[in-house]
Amino acid sequence: MEDVLTPKALITGITGQDGSYLAELLLAEGYDVVGLMRRSSTVNIERISHIQDRLTLVSGDLMDEVSLINVLRDHRPREVYNLAAQSFVQASWSQPVLTGETTALGVTRLLDAIRIVDPTIRFYQASSSEMFGRVRSVPQNELTSFYPRSPYGVAKVYGHWITVNYRESYGLHASSGILFNHESPRRGLEFVTRKVTHAAAAIKAGRQREVRLGNLDAQRDWGYAGDYVRAMWAMLQRDTPDDFVVATGETHSVRELCEVAFAAVGLAWENHVVVDPAFLRPAEVDLLIGDATKAHRELDWKCDVDFYGLIEMMVAADVHALQR
Ligand code: NAP
Ligand code: F7E
């Protein structure tokens, strides 16, 4: 018989970076965790293999509303965290329609499935600082206007506003977390932090000679994913849904990232980083820096890991993985 006292949450995107950290957090909080996975021809659970036996993994896809309705009907979660997306900004120029289908319309499919199956479900939408794009003010907070600079950013603006709209139209407990870049040793290798920390470790180990990057001047507010999933959870524990910026309040350039990562293995970054126009973007987001005052005040949230601690953690993990 189902235990009605144990809270149950559904995570879309459970195989991704954030999905793995959120699943760990919810398990520690005593939840039954259901993870939505899309079908793949190969096993794709590297980030959650250590907790796999404590999760209920189910098949579904943000492209297919029927699959979402069935998962909600079968498992009846109290909370739904929508982390699934085509999340790589660069890929959104080569696959703009897929990005729109998943990252934008996928949110509507999931919200509508909730509205149909159980409108009392609490919903979290993974919104992004990419919505600020060509920033209208510095730092960016919940009141800053959006000016997205990529098909991904445009799709996230849609996902954000459809979340607000379903809250206002149907009274759903739907919150949007506007999260600035957050990273970890589980970050995908195509994102710049992991690309650099992995390269620093591989070059130190003599396995690679250089790393090719694009715009070294871009500045980002980089935090630690393990800290940021706590804010997601806190949003759904509130009586009223709302929108929150989650950020460290510090910004650093890609060049500084290179300095810190290579210094961590005793190398000078200038000897190994090659600028390659292939990694420049058709339109760039030059500067992001978030103001998370509202999250500090109303979620009692703060980050524990700073930029230097984060990059050193990632380099150490990459060095360790290569030694194995
Ligand atoms: P990630 O590592 O790229 O994970 C994305 C997840 O979405 C993966 O589990 C992927 O499954 C899943 N997915 C993709 N398309 C899907 C579909 N059609 N149906 C079902 N699942 C699908 O991303 P992340 O860094 O964890 O980010 C989590 C969320 O936060 C994303 O929505 C991202 O856009 C957003 N966000 C991220 C950041 C950041 O800095 N990390 C900042 C702001 C917002 P597969 O494993 O099968 O590919
Ligand atoms: O790029 C520059 C690049 O791909 C960061 C996603 O999680 O955060 C992420 O999006 C910066 C950009 O992340 C390379 O031009 C230079 O200015 O690591 P990234 P992103 O585009 O900021 C937001 C908040 C999300 O929501 C997204 O889902 O680094 N850069 N050289 C490079 N970037 C990459 N990837 N590769 C390079 O070689």
Side-chain angles (χ1 to χ4, degrees), residues 87-90 128-130 152 156 179-183 187 190-193 195 212-216 218 220 222 254 279 281 284-285 288:
S87 78
F88 187 37
V89 171
Q90 183 90 52
S128 165
S129 53
E130 281 294 299
Y152 170 82
K156 281 290 180 186
L179 271 52
F180 283 61
N181 299 54
H182 46 279
E183 321 290 314
R187 187 59 143 152
E190 68 274 38
F191 297 93
V192 75
T193 51
K195 185 172 173 180
R212 305 182 86 79
L213 299 176
N215 178 12
L216 303 186
R220 288 291 183 276
W222 279 296
V254 173
F279 294 103
R281 295 176 177 186
E284 179 61 287
V285 172
L288 291 173

Side-chain angles (χ1 to χ4, degrees), residues 142-175:
E142 294 79 6
L143 301 176
T144 305
S145 312
F146 300 140
Y147 192 140
R149 293 276 281 167
S150 62
Y152 170 82
V154 173
K156 281 290 180 186
V157 171
Y158 175 92
H160 173 80
W161 281 115
I162 201 69
T163 301
V164 174
N165 181 262
Y166 268 58
R167 178 165 82 214
E168 295 177 354
S169 302
Y170 303 112
L172 296 193
H173 192 297
S175 293

